[in-house]
Amino acid sequence: RLLEVSRVDRVSPHLQRVTLKGDALDGFVSAGFDDHVKVFFPDLRTGEILTPALGDNGPVWPEGQRPVMRDYTPRQFDPVNQTLQIDFALHRPGGPATQWAEQARVGQRLGIGGPKGSFIVPTGFDWHLLVGDDTGLPAISRRLAKLLAAARAELLIEVESHADHIPLPSLADVNVVWVHRRESQTLLNALSRMRMPGGTFFSWVACESAQAKALHAFLIGECGANPKWIRASGYWREGSTASHESFDR
């Protein structure tokens, strides 16, 4: 799907929201709150987006040519107005995705593929634990938007500083603990200090890979979490690019 940038908003110092628009969004479906689309970035020099041919086993790229691709959560899709919002966490130093997002302008184009499928998490738990950093905020926002007034959610969110706090509206009873990297706080420390509510709960974790792995182990080993009710992913890895890891059993 080749789409056009219709709006760019700096949501916080480290979060850039890009709204995409186009008839190519006909038939787009994203049923899971943590779905991923593949974003195909244009060449920063030419603005050209490389597109594949469609083969029997999927897309076929010209030999030796592939665009820069990254996975992102579709934060919000509007089928009536045919718009799709993608939130870009702005890392420092920034890779190709951050570089593109920071220079994004209305009228530029971007390629979108997927989602290939959706993982649907029931909402009928006694409470929900959502843990993430800037990269997990779109999925957390989507999850909160789906929870009803009777639901309860505990959130641990890591950002750079207080300036990166954003609104997280929900009908549910939500408690948010913000963790600041600038103050050398960590999600694992925040989780170790948390008083866990009683009852059954679903845990969702998305952040830097090493942190996500440690949080997954702590939830099972120290918090008594049911491994079947944990979804933990490393959306990025310190010192690496294009990393996406799952730690689910």
Side-chain angles (χ1 to χ4, degrees):
R1 305 174 192 269
L2 289 178
L3 305 173
E4 185 173 292
V5 176
S6 63
R7 180 168 175 166
V8 179
D9 297 287
R10 182 61 65 91
V11 179
S12 76
H14 296 89
L15 200 65
Q16 182 95 312
R17 179 166 301 155
V18 176
T19 302
L20 304 167
K21 187 177 179 64
D23 293 340
L25 284 169
D26 281 343
F28 181 86
V29 175
S30 175
F33 75 93
D34 63 350
D35 282 349
H36 287 89
V37 293
K38 189 73 71 175
V39 176
F40 302 88
F41 293 96
D43 186 291
L44 284 176
R45 295 168 299 172
T46 67
E48 178 185 1
I49 300 177
L50 189 65
T51 57
L54 186 59
D56 293 337
N57 297 316
V60 178
W61 298 97
E63 186 175 354
Q65 300 183 60
R66 292 178 74 91
V68 174
M69 297 177 284
R70 297 290 187 270
D71 289 331
Y72 281 89
T73 300
R75 183 187 179 278
Q76 187 177 78
F77 171 57
D78 183 342
V80 176
N81 295 309
Q82 292 185 314
T83 60
L84 177 67
Q85 287 182 350
I86 304 289
D87 281 0
F88 294 86
L90 304 178
H91 296 285
R92 300 289 187 271
T98 291
Q99 292 172 25
W100 182 88
E102 289 192 307
Q103 65 79 58
R105 299 292 184 272
V106 172
Q108 293 178 337
R109 296 200 305 167
L110 205 62
I112 298 291
K116 288 185 178 180
S118 297
F119 185 84
I120 308 300
V121 179
T123 58
F125 294 91
D126 292 322
W127 62 283
H128 307 259
L129 175 64
L130 307 176
V131 183
D133 61 14
D134 316 64
T135 61
L137 281 171
I140 290 173
S141 296
R142 286 188 60 173
R143 185 59 168 174
L144 291 177
K146 291 294 184 182
L147 295 180
L148 301 178
R152 177 177 181 179
E154 298 288 331
L155 276 59
L156 303 177
I157 302 177
E158 180 189 76
V159 292
E160 188 68 15
S161 70
H162 187 276
D164 293 288
H165 294 195
I166 66 171
L168 295 167
S170 179
L171 294 176
D173 178 10
V174 178
N175 177 54
V176 185
V177 174
W178 294 96
V179 177
H180 297 154
R181 285 187 294 270
R182 184 173 292 180
E183 299 168 12
S184 299
Q185 299 174 355
T186 68
L187 289 169
L188 185 58
N189 286 340
L191 181 61
S192 67
R193 296 193 300 267
M194 178 181 169
R195 293 188 62 183
M196 308 287 280
T200 61
F201 65 101
F202 181 86
S203 305
W204 184 89
V205 177
C207 54
E208 194 276 330
S209 285
Q211 283 210 73
K213 185 176 182 179
L215 288 162
H216 181 267
F218 189 86
L219 281 166
I220 295 173
E222 303 297 329
C223 301
N226 187 333
K228 296 181 179 179
W229 297 341
I230 301 176
R231 188 165 170 83
S233 302
Y235 276 8
W236 61 287
R237 176 176 286 279
E238 188 73 41
S240 181
T241 59
S243 176
H244 191 121
E245 300 177 270
S246 174
F247 302 104
D248 305 331
R249 289 187 179 180

